[in-house]
Amino acid sequence: QVQLLESGGGLVQAGGSLKLSCTASGSTNSISVIGWYRQVPGKQREWVASVTNSGTTNYAGSVEGRFTISRDGAKNTVFLQMSSLKPEDTAVFYCYVRTPLSYVWGQGTQVTVSS
């Protein structure tokens, strides 16, 4: 019903910046929340940030002040601007959306921060 495709991951130096994008297709009108999780191999998936239909943004304490989430008006695309990146930010970042039926996840995009 909703499909997600992430892009923008890569390798950056500590202190640098990256901007991730997630494009939703399908029944995008059903999306109420869109955001990002991240996961390190062998670790539990960690919620990072989200934005609601009304434009309310929320952040995990570990990224607040460094990351900024935004979306377009049609909820078709969400962005995650990441600044002051740290090696501990290295993870696979997953876009997600909340719909009346379920959570939907993207395939993930790798972010690697070198020291």
Side-chain angles (χ1 to χ4, degrees):
Q1 187 171 336
V2 177
Q3 296 178 1
L4 303 173
L5 180 62
E6 302 100 330
S7 64
L11 191 153
V12 297
Q13 299 292 113
S17 299
L18 270 181
K19 188 173 184 178
L20 306 182
S21 299
C22 173
T23 300
S25 61
S27 300
T28 58
N29 192 41
S30 66
I31 297 172
S32 60
V33 179
I34 186 166
W36 297 89
Y37 277 73
R38 65 185 180 185
Q39 188 169 30
V40 177
K43 303 293 185 180
Q44 188 173 352
R45 190 172 296 183
E46 175 191 24
W47 174 78
V48 175
S50 64
V51 58
T52 69
N53 282 359
S54 63
T56 300
T57 58
N58 292 281
Y59 299 92
S62 58
V63 307
E64 192 163 11
R66 300 188 297 120
F67 291 9
T68 301
I69 189 170
S70 61
R71 59 159 177 82
D72 68 6
K75 299 185 294 183
N76 291 325
T77 304
V78 65
F79 305 96
L80 187 68
Q81 176 65 56
M82 305 184 294
S83 301
S84 301
L85 283 163
K86 307 172 181 179
E88 51 262 45
D89 293 319
T90 295
V92 178
F93 282 70
Y94 296 90
C95 179
Y96 79 96
V97 299
R98 183 179 178 87
T99 73
L101 296 177
S102 66
Y103 285 89
V104 179
W105 301 87
Q107 292 289 114
T109 185
Q110 176 70 49
V111 172
T112 302
V113 184
S114 62
S115 59

mmCIF file of all heavy atoms in Angstrom, residues 58-104:
data_model
loop_
_atom_site.group_PDB
_atom_site.id
_atom_site.type_symbol
_atom_site.label_atom_id
_atom_site.label_comp_id
_atom_site.label_asym_id
_atom_site.label_seq_id
_atom_site.Cartn_x
_atom_site.Cartn_y
_atom_site.Cartn_z
ATOM 1 N N ASN A 58 9.844 15.494 16.485
ATOM 2 C CA ASN A 58 10.369 14.927 17.722
ATOM 3 C C ASN A 58 11.691 14.247 17.426
ATOM 4 O O ASN A 58 11.891 13.692 16.338
ATOM 5 C CB ASN A 58 9.384 13.931 18.330
ATOM 6 C CG ASN A 58 8.127 14.589 18.841
ATOM 7 O OD1 ASN A 58 8.121 15.163 19.923
ATOM 8 N ND2 ASN A 58 7.056 14.510 18.066
ATOM 9 N N TYR A 59 12.582 14.274 18.417
ATOM 10 C CA TYR A 59 13.918 13.741 18.244
ATOM 11 C C TYR A 59 14.336 12.911 19.442
ATOM 12 O O TYR A 59 13.948 13.187 20.584
ATOM 13 C CB TYR A 59 14.934 14.873 18.073
ATOM 14 C CG TYR A 59 14.685 15.744 16.872
ATOM 15 C CD1 TYR A 59 13.912 16.893 16.977
ATOM 16 C CD2 TYR A 59 15.230 15.417 15.636
ATOM 17 C CE1 TYR A 59 13.678 17.698 15.873
ATOM 18 C CE2 TYR A 59 15.002 16.208 14.528
ATOM 19 C CZ TYR A 59 14.230 17.349 14.651
ATOM 20 O OH TYR A 59 14.006 18.141 13.552
ATOM 21 N N ALA A 60 15.150 11.905 19.174
ATOM 22 C CA ALA A 60 15.817 11.192 20.242
ATOM 23 C C ALA A 60 16.845 12.111 20.893
ATOM 24 O O ALA A 60 17.443 12.966 20.236
ATOM 25 C CB ALA A 60 16.488 9.932 19.712
ATOM 26 N N GLY A 61 17.056 11.919 22.185
ATOM 27 C CA GLY A 61 17.997 12.762 22.892
ATOM 28 C C GLY A 61 19.406 12.702 22.330
ATOM 29 O O GLY A 61 20.153 13.692 22.397
ATOM 30 N N SER A 62 19.768 11.569 21.752
ATOM 31 C CA SER A 62 21.117 11.396 21.235
ATOM 32 C C SER A 62 21.397 12.214 19.984
ATOM 33 O O SER A 62 22.564 12.405 19.621
ATOM 34 C CB SER A 62 21.380 9.914 20.944
ATOM 35 O OG SER A 62 20.436 9.412 20.010
ATOM 36 N N VAL A 63 20.351 12.690 19.317
ATOM 37 C CA VAL A 63 20.534 13.435 18.073
ATOM 38 C C VAL A 63 19.977 14.848 18.138
ATOM 39 O O VAL A 63 20.259 15.651 17.238
ATOM 40 C CB VAL A 63 19.909 12.696 16.874
ATOM 41 C CG1 VAL A 63 20.431 11.267 16.795
ATOM 42 C CG2 VAL A 63 18.385 12.711 16.938
ATOM 43 N N GLU A 64 19.203 15.161 19.145
ATOM 44 C CA GLU A 64 18.587 16.481 19.243
ATOM 45 C C GLU A 64 19.657 17.564 19.252
ATOM 46 O O GLU A 64 20.646 17.479 19.972
ATOM 47 C CB GLU A 64 17.716 16.574 20.488
ATOM 48 C CG GLU A 64 16.815 17.785 20.515
ATOM 49 C CD GLU A 64 15.684 17.647 21.518
ATOM 50 O OE1 GLU A 64 15.722 16.697 22.329
ATOM 51 O OE2 GLU A 64 14.773 18.478 21.487
ATOM 52 N N GLY A 65 19.437 18.575 18.437
ATOM 53 C CA GLY A 65 20.405 19.644 18.281
ATOM 54 C C GLY A 65 21.375 19.430 17.148
ATOM 55 O O GLY A 65 22.038 20.385 16.721
ATOM 56 N N ARG A 66 21.476 18.201 16.664
ATOM 57 C CA ARG A 66 22.376 17.896 15.558
ATOM 58 C C ARG A 66 21.633 17.491 14.289
ATOM 59 O O ARG A 66 22.097 17.761 13.184
ATOM 60 C CB ARG A 66 23.338 16.769 15.943
ATOM 61 C CG ARG A 66 24.226 17.096 17.138
ATOM 62 C CD ARG A 66 25.285 16.018 17.346
ATOM 63 N NE ARG A 66 24.698 14.714 17.655
ATOM 64 C CZ ARG A 66 24.873 13.625 16.915
ATOM 65 N NH1 ARG A 66 25.626 13.668 15.824
ATOM 66 N NH2 ARG A 66 24.306 12.475 17.274
ATOM 67 N N PHE A 67 20.484 16.834 14.451
ATOM 68 C CA PHE A 67 19.704 16.356 13.310
ATOM 69 C C PHE A 67 18.440 17.195 13.165
ATOM 70 O O PHE A 67 17.871 17.665 14.156
ATOM 71 C CB PHE A 67 19.288 14.893 13.495
ATOM 72 C CG PHE A 67 20.409 13.890 13.440
ATOM 73 C CD1 PHE A 67 21.738 14.280 13.427
ATOM 74 C CD2 PHE A 67 20.107 12.534 13.410
ATOM 75 C CE1 PHE A 67 22.759 13.346 13.388
ATOM 76 C CE2 PHE A 67 21.119 11.595 13.368
ATOM 77 C CZ PHE A 67 22.439 11.992 13.355
ATOM 78 N N THR A 68 17.983 17.353 11.938
ATOM 79 C CA THR A 68 16.746 18.052 11.654
ATOM 80 C C THR A 68 15.926 17.236 10.675
ATOM 81 O O THR A 68 16.425 16.854 9.615
ATOM 82 C CB THR A 68 17.003 19.445 11.070
ATOM 83 O OG1 THR A 68 17.786 20.221 11.988
ATOM 84 C CG2 THR A 68 15.684 20.167 10.813
ATOM 85 N N ILE A 69 14.668 16.974 11.037
ATOM 86 C CA ILE A 69 13.772 16.244 10.151
ATOM 87 C C ILE A 69 12.792 17.226 9.525
ATOM 88 O O ILE A 69 12.342 18.174 10.164
ATOM 89 C CB ILE A 69 13.023 15.120 10.903
ATOM 90 C CG1 ILE A 69 12.258 14.229 9.926
ATOM 91 C CG2 ILE A 69 12.106 15.687 11.983
ATOM 92 C CD1 ILE A 69 11.693 12.965 10.569
ATOM 93 N N SER A 70 12.469 16.999 8.274
ATOM 94 C CA SER A 70 11.507 17.835 7.576
ATOM 95 C C SER A 70 10.776 16.992 6.544
ATOM 96 O O SER A 70 11.226 15.910 6.186
ATOM 97 C CB SER A 70 12.187 19.039 6.914
ATOM 98 O OG SER A 70 13.135 18.618 5.948
ATOM 99 N N ARG A 71 9.656 17.493 6.069
ATOM 100 C CA ARG A 71 8.868 16.779 5.069
ATOM 101 C C ARG A 71 8.258 17.769 4.096
ATOM 102 O O ARG A 71 8.120 18.960 4.394
ATOM 103 C CB ARG A 71 7.756 15.960 5.736
ATOM 104 C CG ARG A 71 6.797 16.808 6.560
ATOM 105 C CD ARG A 71 5.475 16.112 6.776
ATOM 106 N NE ARG A 71 4.607 16.913 7.630
ATOM 107 C CZ ARG A 71 3.860 17.923 7.197
ATOM 108 N NH1 ARG A 71 3.908 18.274 5.904
ATOM 109 N NH2 ARG A 71 3.090 18.587 8.032
ATOM 110 N N ASP A 72 7.877 17.271 2.940
ATOM 111 C CA ASP A 72 7.154 18.116 2.014
ATOM 112 C C ASP A 72 5.678 18.124 2.388
ATOM 113 O O ASP A 72 5.205 17.316 3.186
ATOM 114 C CB ASP A 72 7.388 17.688 0.562
ATOM 115 C CG ASP A 72 6.776 16.335 0.220
ATOM 116 O OD1 ASP A 72 6.069 15.737 1.058
ATOM 117 O OD2 ASP A 72 7.013 15.866 -0.913
ATOM 118 N N GLY A 73 4.933 19.057 1.793
ATOM 119 C CA GLY A 73 3.538 19.226 2.168
ATOM 120 C C GLY A 73 2.660 18.045 1.854
ATOM 121 O O GLY A 73 1.664 17.802 2.551
ATOM 122 N N ALA A 74 2.991 17.291 0.837
ATOM 123 C CA ALA A 74 2.196 16.139 0.428
ATOM 124 C C ALA A 74 2.579 14.859 1.160
ATOM 125 O O ALA A 74 1.990 13.814 0.904
ATOM 126 C CB ALA A 74 2.317 15.927 -1.073
ATOM 127 N N LYS A 75 3.550 14.933 2.058
ATOM 128 C CA LYS A 75 4.046 13.786 2.817
ATOM 129 C C LYS A 75 4.659 12.717 1.920
ATOM 130 O O LYS A 75 4.759 11.558 2.306
ATOM 131 C CB LYS A 75 2.953 13.178 3.709
ATOM 132 C CG LYS A 75 2.402 14.115 4.748
ATOM 133 C CD LYS A 75 1.420 13.410 5.674
ATOM 134 C CE LYS A 75 0.170 12.982 4.924
ATOM 135 N NZ LYS A 75 -0.841 12.365 5.822
ATOM 136 N N ASN A 76 5.074 13.112 0.734
ATOM 137 C CA ASN A 76 5.689 12.157 -0.169
ATOM 138 C C ASN A 76 7.176 11.967 0.101
ATOM 139 O O ASN A 76 7.733 10.935 -0.275
ATOM 140 C CB ASN A 76 5.484 12.591 -1.611
ATOM 141 C CG ASN A 76 4.041 12.480 -2.058
ATOM 142 O OD1 ASN A 76 3.318 11.581 -1.647
ATOM 143 N ND2 ASN A 76 3.618 13.396 -2.919
ATOM 144 N N THR A 77 7.801 12.951 0.710
ATOM 145 C CA THR A 77 9.229 12.912 0.955
ATOM 146 C C THR A 77 9.545 13.439 2.347
ATOM 147 O O THR A 77 8.967 14.432 2.785
ATOM 148 C CB THR A 77 9.991 13.744 -0.093
ATOM 149 O OG1 THR A 77 9.665 13.283 -1.408
ATOM 150 C CG2 THR A 77 11.483 13.627 0.112
ATOM 151 N N VAL A 78 10.439 12.767 3.023
ATOM 152 C CA VAL A 78 10.952 13.226 4.302
ATOM 153 C C VAL A 78 12.470 13.291 4.205
ATOM 154 O O VAL A 78 13.095 12.475 3.519
ATOM 155 C CB VAL A 78 10.503 12.315 5.464
ATOM 156 C CG1 VAL A 78 11.090 10.916 5.323
ATOM 157 C CG2 VAL A 78 10.882 12.928 6.806
ATOM 158 N N PHE A 79 13.044 14.268 4.886
ATOM 159 C CA PHE A 79 14.482 14.467 4.886
ATOM 160 C C PHE A 79 15.008 14.391 6.308
ATOM 161 O O PHE A 79 14.320 14.729 7.262
ATOM 162 C CB PHE A 79 14.847 15.827 4.292
ATOM 163 C CG PHE A 79 14.288 16.061 2.923
ATOM 164 C CD1 PHE A 79 13.110 16.756 2.748
ATOM 165 C CD2 PHE A 79 14.954 15.585 1.805
ATOM 166 C CE1 PHE A 79 12.589 16.978 1.492
ATOM 167 C CE2 PHE A 79 14.444 15.796 0.536
ATOM 168 C CZ PHE A 79 13.260 16.500 0.380
ATOM 169 N N LEU A 80 16.237 13.957 6.434
ATOM 170 C CA LEU A 80 16.939 13.990 7.706
ATOM 171 C C LEU A 80 18.288 14.654 7.470
ATOM 172 O O LEU A 80 19.192 14.035 6.894
ATOM 173 C CB LEU A 80 17.119 12.595 8.295
ATOM 174 C CG LEU A 80 17.700 12.556 9.706
ATOM 175 C CD1 LEU A 80 16.704 13.147 10.708
ATOM 176 C CD2 LEU A 80 18.068 11.135 10.108
ATOM 177 N N GLN A 81 18.389 15.904 7.886
ATOM 178 C CA GLN A 81 19.644 16.635 7.796
ATOM 179 C C GLN A 81 20.464 16.333 9.042
ATOM 180 O O GLN A 81 20.039 16.646 10.149
ATOM 181 C CB GLN A 81 19.384 18.135 7.670
ATOM 182 C CG GLN A 81 20.646 18.986 7.669
ATOM 183 C CD GLN A 81 21.509 18.735 6.467
ATOM 184 O OE1 GLN A 81 21.050 18.866 5.328
ATOM 185 N NE2 GLN A 81 22.754 18.348 6.694
ATOM 186 N N MET A 82 21.614 15.725 8.860
ATOM 187 C CA MET A 82 22.461 15.306 9.956
ATOM 188 C C MET A 82 23.738 16.133 9.939
ATOM 189 O O MET A 82 24.451 16.161 8.932
ATOM 190 C CB MET A 82 22.790 13.817 9.852
ATOM 191 C CG MET A 82 21.563 12.922 9.764
ATOM 192 S SD MET A 82 21.981 11.163 9.748
ATOM 193 C CE MET A 82 22.846 11.066 8.180
ATOM 194 N N SER A 83 24.014 16.787 11.050
ATOM 195 C CA SER A 83 25.195 17.619 11.189
ATOM 196 C C SER A 83 25.987 17.182 12.412
ATOM 197 O O SER A 83 25.482 16.460 13.270
ATOM 198 C CB SER A 83 24.811 19.095 11.313
ATOM 199 O OG SER A 83 24.094 19.543 10.187
ATOM 200 N N SER A 84 27.230 17.637 12.486
ATOM 201 C CA SER A 84 28.113 17.285 13.602
ATOM 202 C C SER A 84 28.123 15.783 13.840
ATOM 203 O O SER A 84 28.014 15.310 14.975
ATOM 204 C CB SER A 84 27.694 18.034 14.870
ATOM 205 O OG SER A 84 27.737 19.441 14.673
ATOM 206 N N LEU A 85 28.273 15.038 12.776
ATOM 207 C CA LEU A 85 28.188 13.589 12.861
ATOM 208 C C LEU A 85 29.340 13.010 13.676
ATOM 209 O O LEU A 85 30.465 13.513 13.639
ATOM 210 C CB LEU A 85 28.159 12.979 11.472
ATOM 211 C CG LEU A 85 26.814 13.098 10.757
ATOM 212 C CD1 LEU A 85 26.969 12.855 9.264
ATOM 213 C CD2 LEU A 85 25.816 12.115 11.354
ATOM 214 N N LYS A 86 29.026 11.955 14.399
ATOM 215 C CA LYS A 86 29.974 11.256 15.248
ATOM 216 C C LYS A 86 30.116 9.813 14.784
ATOM 217 O O LYS A 86 29.196 9.264 14.183
ATOM 218 C CB LYS A 86 29.494 11.269 16.705
ATOM 219 C CG LYS A 86 29.169 12.643 17.256
ATOM 220 C CD LYS A 86 28.530 12.531 18.633
ATOM 221 C CE LYS A 86 28.173 13.890 19.189
ATOM 222 N NZ LYS A 86 27.538 13.780 20.522
ATOM 223 N N PRO A 87 31.248 9.177 15.069
ATOM 224 C CA PRO A 87 31.385 7.765 14.694
ATOM 225 C C PRO A 87 30.268 6.892 15.253
ATOM 226 O O PRO A 87 29.869 5.928 14.589
ATOM 227 C CB PRO A 87 32.746 7.377 15.286
ATOM 228 C CG PRO A 87 33.524 8.649 15.263
ATOM 229 C CD PRO A 87 32.522 9.730 15.582
ATOM 230 N N GLU A 88 29.750 7.215 16.421
ATOM 231 C CA GLU A 88 28.669 6.430 17.002
ATOM 232 C C GLU A 88 27.341 6.602 16.275
ATOM 233 O O GLU A 88 26.375 5.895 16.577
ATOM 234 C CB GLU A 88 28.492 6.738 18.495
ATOM 235 C CG GLU A 88 28.388 8.218 18.799
ATOM 236 C CD GLU A 88 29.711 8.825 19.249
ATOM 237 O OE1 GLU A 88 30.740 8.524 18.610
ATOM 238 O OE2 GLU A 88 29.709 9.589 20.236
ATOM 239 N N ASP A 89 27.263 7.536 15.331
ATOM 240 C CA ASP A 89 26.087 7.653 14.480
ATOM 241 C C ASP A 89 26.077 6.612 13.365
ATOM 242 O O ASP A 89 25.067 6.473 12.665
ATOM 243 C CB ASP A 89 25.999 9.049 13.856
ATOM 244 C CG ASP A 89 25.728 10.138 14.871
ATOM 245 O OD1 ASP A 89 24.897 9.914 15.781
ATOM 246 O OD2 ASP A 89 26.338 11.215 14.751
ATOM 247 N N THR A 90 27.173 5.911 13.177
ATOM 248 C CA THR A 90 27.263 4.904 12.131
ATOM 249 C C THR A 90 26.188 3.844 12.332
ATOM 250 O O THR A 90 26.091 3.232 13.397
ATOM 251 C CB THR A 90 28.648 4.260 12.125
ATOM 252 O OG1 THR A 90 29.632 5.244 11.784
ATOM 253 C CG2 THR A 90 28.714 3.127 11.113
ATOM 254 N N ALA A 91 25.381 3.636 11.306
ATOM 255 C CA ALA A 91 24.267 2.705 11.396
ATOM 256 C C ALA A 91 23.585 2.622 10.039
ATOM 257 O O ALA A 91 23.856 3.419 9.137
ATOM 258 C CB ALA A 91 23.247 3.155 12.452
ATOM 259 N N VAL A 92 22.697 1.652 9.924
ATOM 260 C CA VAL A 92 21.757 1.639 8.816
ATOM 261 C C VAL A 92 20.543 2.447 9.246
ATOM 262 O O VAL A 92 19.939 2.163 10.281
ATOM 263 C CB VAL A 92 21.345 0.216 8.421
ATOM 264 C CG1 VAL A 92 20.316 0.258 7.298
ATOM 265 C CG2 VAL A 92 22.565 -0.594 7.986
ATOM 266 N N PHE A 93 20.201 3.449 8.474
ATOM 267 C CA PHE A 93 19.065 4.305 8.767
ATOM 268 C C PHE A 93 17.863 3.843 7.960
ATOM 269 O O PHE A 93 17.953 3.651 6.748
ATOM 270 C CB PHE A 93 19.392 5.763 8.443
ATOM 271 C CG PHE A 93 20.232 6.441 9.484
ATOM 272 C CD1 PHE A 93 21.558 6.099 9.658
ATOM 273 C CD2 PHE A 93 19.683 7.425 10.299
ATOM 274 C CE1 PHE A 93 22.333 6.717 10.628
ATOM 275 C CE2 PHE A 93 20.448 8.053 11.270
ATOM 276 C CZ PHE A 93 21.773 7.695 11.434
ATOM 277 N N TYR A 94 16.737 3.679 8.648
ATOM 278 C CA TYR A 94 15.507 3.200 8.033
ATOM 279 C C TYR A 94 14.428 4.264 8.114
ATOM 280 O O TYR A 94 14.118 4.769 9.192
ATOM 281 C CB TYR A 94 14.988 1.945 8.743
ATOM 282 C CG TYR A 94 15.895 0.750 8.648
ATOM 283 C CD1 TYR A 94 16.870 0.512 9.606
ATOM 284 C CD2 TYR A 94 15.756 -0.154 7.602
ATOM 285 C CE1 TYR A 94 17.697 -0.588 9.524
ATOM 286 C CE2 TYR A 94 16.576 -1.260 7.519
ATOM 287 C CZ TYR A 94 17.547 -1.473 8.484
ATOM 288 O OH TYR A 94 18.357 -2.572 8.408
ATOM 289 N N CYS A 95 13.866 4.588 6.995
ATOM 290 C CA CYS A 95 12.683 5.430 6.961
ATOM 291 C C CYS A 95 11.462 4.589 7.349
ATOM 292 O O CYS A 95 11.398 3.393 7.037
ATOM 293 C CB CYS A 95 12.514 6.006 5.554
ATOM 294 S SG CYS A 95 11.063 7.055 5.317
ATOM 295 N N TYR A 96 10.515 5.201 8.041
ATOM 296 C CA TYR A 96 9.275 4.501 8.374
ATOM 297 C C TYR A 96 8.107 5.464 8.299
ATOM 298 O O TYR A 96 8.264 6.678 8.441
ATOM 299 C CB TYR A 96 9.348 3.867 9.771
ATOM 300 C CG TYR A 96 9.119 4.841 10.902
ATOM 301 C CD1 TYR A 96 7.847 4.980 11.475
ATOM 302 C CD2 TYR A 96 10.154 5.614 11.401
ATOM 303 C CE1 TYR A 96 7.636 5.875 12.520
ATOM 304 C CE2 TYR A 96 9.947 6.505 12.435
ATOM 305 C CZ TYR A 96 8.687 6.633 12.995
ATOM 306 O OH TYR A 96 8.469 7.517 14.034
ATOM 307 N N VAL A 97 6.933 4.899 8.091
ATOM 308 C CA VAL A 97 5.693 5.668 8.146
ATOM 309 C C VAL A 97 4.685 4.910 8.989
ATOM 310 O O VAL A 97 4.720 3.681 9.085
ATOM 311 C CB VAL A 97 5.098 5.961 6.749
ATOM 312 C CG1 VAL A 97 6.062 6.778 5.912
ATOM 313 C CG2 VAL A 97 4.690 4.681 6.038
ATOM 314 N N ARG A 98 3.798 5.670 9.623
ATOM 315 C CA ARG A 98 2.672 5.097 10.339
ATOM 316 C C ARG A 98 1.404 5.345 9.535
ATOM 317 O O ARG A 98 1.133 6.476 9.123
ATOM 318 C CB ARG A 98 2.550 5.698 11.731
ATOM 319 C CG ARG A 98 1.433 5.082 12.558
ATOM 320 C CD ARG A 98 1.358 5.694 13.950
ATOM 321 N NE ARG A 98 0.265 5.142 14.718
ATOM 322 C CZ ARG A 98 0.334 4.036 15.447
ATOM 323 N NH1 ARG A 98 1.478 3.365 15.513
ATOM 324 N NH2 ARG A 98 -0.722 3.604 16.110
ATOM 325 N N THR A 99 0.651 4.282 9.308
ATOM 326 C CA THR A 99 -0.628 4.350 8.614
ATOM 327 C C THR A 99 -1.709 3.793 9.535
ATOM 328 O O THR A 99 -1.405 3.240 10.594
ATOM 329 C CB THR A 99 -0.599 3.547 7.306
ATOM 330 O OG1 THR A 99 -0.612 2.152 7.599
ATOM 331 C CG2 THR A 99 0.636 3.882 6.486
ATOM 332 N N PRO A 100 -2.989 3.926 9.175
ATOM 333 C CA PRO A 100 -4.025 3.307 10.013
ATOM 334 C C PRO A 100 -3.874 1.803 10.164
ATOM 335 O O PRO A 100 -4.396 1.235 11.127
ATOM 336 C CB PRO A 100 -5.319 3.666 9.273
ATOM 337 C CG PRO A 100 -4.997 4.927 8.544
ATOM 338 C CD PRO A 100 -3.579 4.756 8.107
ATOM 339 N N LEU A 101 -3.192 1.144 9.246
ATOM 340 C CA LEU A 101 -3.088 -0.305 9.269
ATOM 341 C C LEU A 101 -1.818 -0.810 9.936
ATOM 342 O O LEU A 101 -1.844 -1.839 10.622
ATOM 343 C CB LEU A 101 -3.172 -0.861 7.843
ATOM 344 C CG LEU A 101 -4.492 -0.628 7.108
ATOM 345 C CD1 LEU A 101 -4.395 -1.159 5.682
ATOM 346 C CD2 LEU A 101 -5.641 -1.286 7.852
ATOM 347 N N SER A 102 -0.703 -0.123 9.749
ATOM 348 C CA SER A 102 0.557 -0.671 10.213
ATOM 349 C C SER A 102 1.666 0.365 10.111
ATOM 350 O O SER A 102 1.456 1.480 9.629
ATOM 351 C CB SER A 102 0.928 -1.904 9.387
ATOM 352 O OG SER A 102 1.194 -1.530 8.046
ATOM 353 N N TYR A 103 2.829 -0.035 10.585
ATOM 354 C CA TYR A 103 4.064 0.666 10.270
ATOM 355 C C TYR A 103 4.644 0.065 8.996
ATOM 356 O O TYR A 103 4.579 -1.147 8.778
ATOM 357 C CB TYR A 103 5.084 0.528 11.394
ATOM 358 C CG TYR A 103 4.779 1.370 12.609
ATOM 359 C CD1 TYR A 103 3.980 0.877 13.634
ATOM 360 C CD2 TYR A 103 5.308 2.649 12.731
ATOM 361 C CE1 TYR A 103 3.705 1.648 14.753
ATOM 362 C CE2 TYR A 103 5.041 3.422 13.849
ATOM 363 C CZ TYR A 103 4.239 2.919 14.852
ATOM 364 O OH TYR A 103 3.979 3.681 15.967
ATOM 365 N N VAL A 104 5.211 0.906 8.165
ATOM 366 C CA VAL A 104 5.857 0.478 6.939
ATOM 367 C C VAL A 104 7.299 0.953 6.982
ATOM 368 O O VAL A 104 7.572 2.090 7.373
ATOM 369 C CB VAL A 104 5.138 1.029 5.690
ATOM 370 C CG1 VAL A 104 5.847 0.577 4.420
ATOM 371 C CG2 VAL A 104 3.680 0.592 5.677
#
